[in-house]
Each structure stands twice: as C-alpha cells, then as structure tokens.
Amino acid sequence: MEELAAEKHVRYILSVEKKKDSFESVVMEHLRMNGAYWGLTALDILGKLDTVDVDEVVSWIISCQHDSGGFGGNVEHDPHILYTLSAVQVLALFNKLDVIDVDKLTSYIVSLQNEDGSFSGDIWGEVDTRFSYIAICCLSILRRLDRINVEKAVKYIISCKNMDGGFGCTPGGESHAGQIFCCVGALAITGSLDLIDKDLLGWWLCERQVKSGGLNGRPEKKPDVCYSWWVLSSLIMIDRVHWISKEKLIKFILDCQDVENGGISDRPDDAVDVFHTYFGVAGLSLLEYPGLKPIDPAYALPVDVVNQIFFSKTSTN
Ligand SMILES: CN(C(=O)[C@H](Cc1cnc[nH]1)NC(=O)OCc1ccccc1)[C@@H](Cc1ccccc1)C(=O)N[C@@H](Cc1c[nH]c2ccccc12)C(=O)NO
Ligand SMILES: [Zn+2]
C-alpha cells in the first residue's frame, strides 16, 4: 500500500515558495494570497510550519492590505473577499492577527452584505454563496460575527437549497460540491445546521464516491483530489462520513502523489500543484491519516489554531 511521502511534499511546497518565475508562480500570480494559504496550511498539517520565515510572510501579507481594509491576491492588486479570508487564515496560523487593522477589515466585509442578506465578492457586486461563507468564516475568526446580519445571511443561504438537498451559488443554481461546502460551513459556524436535511444531502454527497474510491464534484464527473475536501468536510459537518469508504478514498489520494519529486495532483498521473497538494493533505487529515495534525472541517484550519482563536486570551476579542 502506497504511503504518504510527507518529506517530499514539504520540500515541494518550500520549492514552489522559492521559485518566483516558474509557470506555476506566474499563472498563480493573482492568486498568490490563496497560494500562501494552501502552502502554509499544508506545511502546518505536516508539522513543518516552523521551517518558514514568519516575519517575511507576515510583512508581505500586510503589504497586500488595501486602504478599504480588504486584501488583494498580491501587492497592488484590487481587494476581493476571496483573498481577504486567505490573509486572515494565514495570520491565524502564525497567531499574528493583531498586526492588521481588524476594524477596517471588519467594515470592509460588513460593506459587502446586501439587502437580501447575501454577500458580494468586491465593489463590482458579483453575488455567490462562496462569499457568504468567506464573510462568516472571516468575521468568526476575528470575533466580529455580530457586525453583520447573521439571521438574513442564513436565510439567504437556505434560499439557495435545492430539491436534491444540495446548494448552488445563487437561488436556483445547480448543486455543486464546492458550493455545498461553503453553505454547510457557513451554517455550521452560525450554529444553523438544524436547517439542513442531513439524510437527503448526505445521500447526494456519498454518491460522489466513484469506483476508484475518489470523489467527484457533481454526478457523472471525474474524481478529483480537491473534492476530498469539498465533499468530505461537508459529510463530516453533517455527521454522515460513515456513508463513504474512507479506506478507498485514502488509497485514491495516495495514488495521486508524485513520490519522486513531491506534490499531489487532481487525479493519478496528472501534473502536481500546490492547490491539490494542500487539499490532498487536508483530506487525509480529515480521514485521520497517521502523523498528520487534525484540521477543522468548517474553518479549514488546524484544530490547534482554531482552539487558539476561540479559547485563548491573546486573540482579537
Ligand atoms: C480558481 N480555482 C478554481 O477555480 C478551482 C479549479 C479546479 C481545481 N480542481 C477542479 N477545478 N476550483 C475550485 O476552487 O472550486 C472550488 C469551489 C468552487 C466554487 C465554490 C466553492 C469552491 C482555484 C485555483 C486553481 C485554478 C486552476 C487549477 C487548480 C487550482 C482556487 O483558487 N480556488 C479557490 C476558491 C476559493 C477561494 N476562497 C474560497 C473559500 C471557500 C471555497 C472556495 C474558495 C480556493 O479553493 N481557495 O482556497
Ligand atoms: Zn481539483
């Protein structure tokens, strides 16, 4: 049985951090803040976050905060809620949330809530349940959830529930595992999981497991390692994870490793990238693979980091 080549994945992640001019780095240029979250959270789950220069990362993150309080995907990039969560998650990893202007960040997110309770991603107004999750997750980490209308936010999310028990990006949108993770995660954080039909949604989610043991994002699609996060974390949050085969999923993820050069791809024999390396390691953590730190399915952060945020004196209370 293939096992996790942990050391190789650590070296791969650190090498991507170093290579600035590689194709991957250039393509991901505008997503660099998300890339920092994927690489650093994977390193923490693998127990190697201490190999990183904290001050170098933190000063780069601070340089990406916009006057509005939001964060861009890189220095001088326009602020967007997508990158704002990644910035807050990385600072939480290092227990450095006190280095940013939390009040300005809070008012930026509050300004993105619409009349109907939904959230826009930035000033241009695109609405997506992904942004509801990001706003709720971010403000919860900052202990500022009371600054938005949580009741209307929850009502909007429920308005995106479909007959199949799943959720789409807007009311009537097709059920997709990524959107389901966002809606279930937001409901979990706000203590509203009782509004979900867990058997109906659990059935839709466990049907994502295909013969190879991998999970896909929608019926008839090919399996993909990143759905080991979107589907699995949702199943865990609604307490139906025993409806899939954990062993077969572990085998699928391990088969997607490049055991020579490190990294994990979306499916066997494809090119590896930091995104799928993170979601593969995070998926194995949810599957309680030995030697990995446990990760919280709703906050997508290591459990010890979530405990530090909510149960210690030093967080931004
Ligand atoms: C822009 N991205 C995507 O569109 C990926 C592409 C993909 C990878 N494997 C199959 N497709 N898809 C993706 O992230 O879908 C997840 C999703 C989609 C909609 C709602 C929720 C989750 C990827 C980058 C990428 C591009 C191409 C190939 C591999 C990675 C990406 O940056 N995704 C972001 C999306 C996102 C940002 N913040 C979020 C908060 C909650 C959920 C998702 C996100 C991410 O997962 N950040 O942690
Ligand atoms: Zn993928």
Side-chain angles (χ1 to χ4, degrees):
M1 161 83 158
E2 189 81 84
E3 61 179 35
L4 183 65
E7 260 317 298
K8 297 273 184 163
H9 301 320
V10 169
R11 261 208 291 280
Y12 163 71
I13 291 166
L14 292 172
S15 73
V16 169
E17 266 308 296
K18 297 261 173 310
K19 261 187 335 217
K20 296 280 183 286
D21 55 355
S22 72
F23 168 72
E24 181 168 15
S25 305
V26 170
V27 161
M28 295 299 217
E29 172 74 21
H30 69 292
L31 292 169
R32 200 142 177 347
M33 191 61 79
N34 286 347
Y37 160 71
W38 304 324
L40 295 167
T41 311
L43 284 180
D44 196 14
I45 296 169
L46 291 161
K48 290 284 192 287
L49 188 62
D50 54 2
T51 58
V52 162
D53 179 343
V54 179
D55 295 335
E56 185 186 338
V57 175
V58 170
S59 54
W60 175 74
I61 290 177
I62 293 171
S63 71
C64 293
Q65 185 163 26
H66 205 257
D67 298 351
S68 63
F71 286 79
N74 211 326
V75 186
E76 298 303 314
H77 286 216
D78 289 342
H80 193 286
I81 205 167
L82 285 172
Y83 311 115
T84 303
L85 175 60
S86 292
V88 165
Q89 288 173 310
V90 172
L91 291 173
L93 276 181
F94 293 128
N95 188 22
K96 290 268 186 182
L97 284 167
D98 52 348
V99 305
I100 55 168
D101 188 331
V102 172
D103 290 332
K104 253 172 110 178
L105 170 43
T106 301
S107 49
Y108 171 74
I109 294 177
V110 169
S111 74
L112 292 172
Q113 185 164 32
N114 302 308
E115 257 315 292
D116 63 1
S118 68
F119 281 85
S120 295
D122 61 12
I123 53 172
W124 305 110
E126 181 201 1
V127 169
D128 183 317
T129 44
R130 206 174 4 161
F131 307 147
S132 300
Y133 165 78
I134 291 173
I136 287 167
C137 183
C138 220
L139 292 180
S140 174
I141 290 170
L142 297 174
R143 326 300 309 277
R144 300 276 195 291
L145 202 44
D146 55 326
R147 299 295 174 77
I148 55 167
N149 188 323
V150 175
E151 194 187 337
K152 283 174 84 173
V154 168
K155 251 169 70 201
Y156 177 79
I157 290 168
I158 295 302
S159 78
C160 297
K161 189 163 59 172
N162 294 319
M163 297 297 284
D164 59 15
F167 295 84
C169 55
T170 48
E174 183 199 6
S175 290
H176 172 289
Q179 310 292 355
I180 289 171
F181 162 77
C182 291
C183 295
V184 173
L187 295 175
I189 291 171
T190 55
S192 323
L193 282 177
D194 53 298
L195 302 177
I196 286 182
D197 180 336
K198 293 178 180 167
D199 286 329
L200 184 59
L201 178 54
W203 181 252
W204 190 92
L205 287 167
C206 77
E207 286 281 284
R208 299 299 114 252
Q209 189 161 44
V210 298
K211 214 165 41 320
S212 65
L215 304 175
N216 63 23
R218 279 178 291 171
E220 314 307 320
K221 294 284 180 184
K222 288 199 276 185
D224 177 335
V225 155
C226 68
Y227 288 106
S228 311
W229 174 266
W230 311 118
V231 174
L232 188 59
S233 54
S234 303
L235 277 170
I236 290 173
M237 286 187 274
I238 64 172
D239 195 21
R240 294 293 183 278
V241 72
H242 51 291
W243 286 8
I244 61 158
S245 161
K246 289 179 156 185
E247 295 69 31
K248 288 185 72 177
L249 179 54
I250 289 173
K251 184 182 179 320
F252 177 81
I253 298 172
L254 294 176
D255 285 349
C256 294
Q257 298 178 95
D258 177 337
V259 290
E260 284 309 303
N261 308 309
I264 299 174
S265 58
D266 58 351
R267 52 185 70 93
D269 305 328
D270 267 6
V272 304
D273 60 42
V274 182
F275 178 89
H276 289 98
T277 301
Y278 164 64
F279 284 105
V281 168
L284 289 173
S285 169
L286 288 175
L287 292 160
E288 296 162 308
Y289 188 87
L292 298 181
K293 282 171 73 171
I295 190 168
D296 182 285
Y299 287 95
L301 283 170
V303 168
D304 65 302
V305 173
V306 175
N307 290 338
Q308 151 78 31
I309 293 166
F310 293 103
F311 304 114
S312 86
K313 296 281 159 290
T314 60
S315 60
T316 56
N317 38 35

